[in-house]
Amino acid sequence: MSACSFVDFAQSASPEGQRSLQELEAACEAAPFGRKQETIIDETYRKAGKMDSRNFMTRFHAEQTGIVDMIRTGLLTGSSEEEGISAQLYKLNVYGKGAFFKPHVDTPHSQKMFGSLVIVFPTPHEGGQLILRKENSEWTFDAARLLSGSADRIAYVAFFSDVEHEVLPVLSGHRVTITYNLYFDNAQSRPKVPKGLAVTQPLHASSGAIKESLRAFLRSPKILPDGGTIGFGLRHVYALPTVWDDGDPEPLRAIGQGLKGSDAALYRACKELGLAPRLRLITENFDDPIMLDHINCLGHVGEEDETAILLDAGGVFIKDAEFPGDDENDEGEGVGHRKLPVHWVTELNGLNRTSQAYLSYGNEASMGYMYVFVCLIADVGKHSDRIVGLSMVDEGVAEGEGGAQPSGTNEAVPGA
């Protein structure tokens, strides 16, 4: 029968508290980390102790503290703000003197997982700052400084799963944390954001700021005077299978039900400006990229080639266009199909990539793969038409399907 111990973090500065922390550290296993498809232990990359949730109990409950509601208003935007959130206890970590974790990105455990919540207990320590990085921005979360001299508080930080982060070396003491995985959960309650509560967000995650920028962009007569299609690469990573199989969730619908942060803010801004935004797939490994509104099961490919199957299923050839662009039609190579010019506002990227295996028959059977990226596109009308539409948006008039939506519309983000 194993022995149980109780650690009072409020008394961790006392000699008895220090002994308890040392015992807790000794009871932990070496913390592993994921590298590609493997879980490994390498103390040159991560040195820390860990305890799985089944091996400890805590009287701290994140959902009873109001932290989850703060995450909803501070981290999520657009329709995601009213999603139910479930915080599931994942593990306990102890970082003693010299412990660290080099830069890494978490792997979502399911389609509904969107982030992590880390609680730092008030144990005396120096160092161990958590560094968060996204694109060209960097933030430092220094729990030791925030908790210095206090034994009755905790520090917490929540971030999306695709944010790179690292734990700097602990210089002294013990940094003790528990981590929750954050999931969208429609079974949970969805409280409204209280009226009058202002949440400070980065500009790229604020639907209001994005809407104003888009409005100014669309008002310019130099931008697509005859209309066209604009495209956006997604900024966040979503849980897509490396290889999609027939029967897996449709990628666009799975992502559309849980857009995060700036992606959700962008979708909402486009919708409110009447741009009818849609998520789409773009093929990677074809001579000419093809845009799809769903992933197509190629199955066994015989005399018909892959391209013909995708076009017959509603796919469209696309070409990159510059601002201001020339929207003249362009013929696909050897197939006589029009190419749709897409003007990329933000670059198409490989953050959300999946593939499909299929069996190709030629002189002999071989396995082929179709690779696709996810993006967001929207249609822009002629300058004279959209000025009228923007004026109606400013007056709060809805134009029906594909038109301007009144501010505050609560709707699920469609996948296609």
Side-chain angles (χ1 to χ4, degrees), residues 63 68-69 71-73 76 78-88 111-115 181-192 257-259 410:
E63 292 176 331
V68 171
D69 290 337
I71 292 171
R72 180 182 288 104
T73 57
L76 305 181
S79 60
S80 295
E81 289 183 61
E82 297 183 7
E83 289 277 358
I85 296 177
S86 174
Q88 296 185 13
Q111 292 280 357
K112 293 185 177 181
M113 181 179 166
F114 67 89
N181 291 331
L182 299 174
Y183 298 86
F184 288 119
D185 186 354
N186 291 329
Q188 299 292 323
S189 60
R190 309 180 201 176
K192 298 277 187 180
Q257 291 172 347
L259 284 176
N410 178 23

Side-chain angles (χ1 to χ4, degrees), residues 89-378:
L89 185 60
Y90 179 45
K91 61 184 174 181
L92 177 147
N93 286 120
V94 178
Y95 287 78
K97 182 178 179 181
F100 63 91
F101 196 175
K102 290 186 177 181
H104 62 285
V105 176
D106 293 338
T107 301
H109 295 278
S110 80
Q111 292 280 357
K112 293 185 177 181
M113 181 179 166
F114 67 89
S116 297
L117 166 64
V118 179
I119 306 295
V120 185
F121 290 111
T123 56
H125 66 280
E126 295 181 0
Q129 296 92 338
L130 178 66
I131 310 297
L132 305 167
R133 299 185 183 91
K134 178 68 176 178
E135 296 179 345
N136 296 321
S137 299
E138 180 177 294
W139 300 267
T140 299
F141 174 67
D142 190 348
R145 181 181 60 81
L146 292 172
L147 298 173
S148 178
S150 176
D152 60 353
R153 295 186 296 170
I154 57 96
Y156 75 92
V157 60
F159 50 91
F160 288 120
S161 301
D162 61 331
V163 173
E164 182 186 86
H165 51 287
E166 70 171 308
V167 179
L168 298 184
V170 172
L171 304 178
S172 66
H174 294 83
R175 176 183 183 268
V176 182
T177 67
I178 55 174
T179 300
Y180 291 82
N181 291 331
L182 299 174
Y183 298 86
F184 288 119
D185 186 354
N186 291 329
Q188 299 292 323
S189 60
R190 309 180 201 176
K192 298 277 187 180
V193 178
K195 291 184 178 180
L197 177 62
V199 179
T200 301
Q201 299 171 345
L203 289 178
H204 66 75
S206 168
S207 58
I210 294 174
K211 182 178 176 181
E212 290 306 310
S213 296
L214 272 176
R215 179 187 278 111
F217 177 78
L218 295 173
R219 283 189 177 277
S220 171
K222 296 180 180 180
I223 300 299
L224 299 178
D226 297 321
T229 300
I230 56 176
F232 304 86
L234 300 183
R235 295 173 63 99
H236 294 285
V237 176
Y238 301 89
L240 292 177
T242 302
V243 179
W244 182 87
D245 292 321
D246 189 21
D248 285 345
E250 166 61 43
L252 295 185
R253 184 164 297 280
I255 292 179
Q257 291 172 347
L259 284 176
K260 301 184 290 191
S262 54
D263 294 338
L266 173 63
Y267 178 91
R268 185 176 180 84
C270 288
K271 189 73 174 177
E272 291 181 353
L273 291 174
L275 301 185
R278 290 100 65 199
L279 290 172
R280 289 293 183 263
L281 300 169
I282 305 293
T283 61
E284 175 192 13
N285 56 325
F286 288 84
D287 291 337
D288 294 299
I290 298 173
M291 183 168 64
L292 306 166
D293 63 5
H294 66 282
I295 194 162
N296 190 274
C297 183
L298 292 175
H300 297 175
V301 178
E303 295 180 357
E304 290 185 297
D305 65 19
E306 303 92 327
T307 298
I309 293 175
L310 297 179
L311 294 175
D312 288 343
V316 178
F317 279 121
I318 66 168
K319 67 173 182 177
D320 295 345
E322 301 292 335
F323 286 110
D326 178 4
D327 283 0
E328 294 180 1
N329 291 351
D330 191 10
E331 297 301 316
E333 294 180 5
V335 293
H337 284 271
R338 173 182 177 271
K339 287 183 181 177
L340 174 70
V342 177
H343 303 260
W344 294 103
V345 180
T346 58
E347 186 177 0
L348 178 66
N349 58 60
L351 292 179
N352 296 285
R353 181 180 190 249
T354 187
S355 65
Q356 184 199 4
Y358 60 92
L359 196 59
S360 178
Y361 288 98
N363 293 330
E364 58 183 31
S366 62
M367 186 66 71
Y369 288 88
M370 178 180 72
Y371 296 92
V372 291
F373 297 131
V374 182
C375 69
L376 183 73
I377 67 162

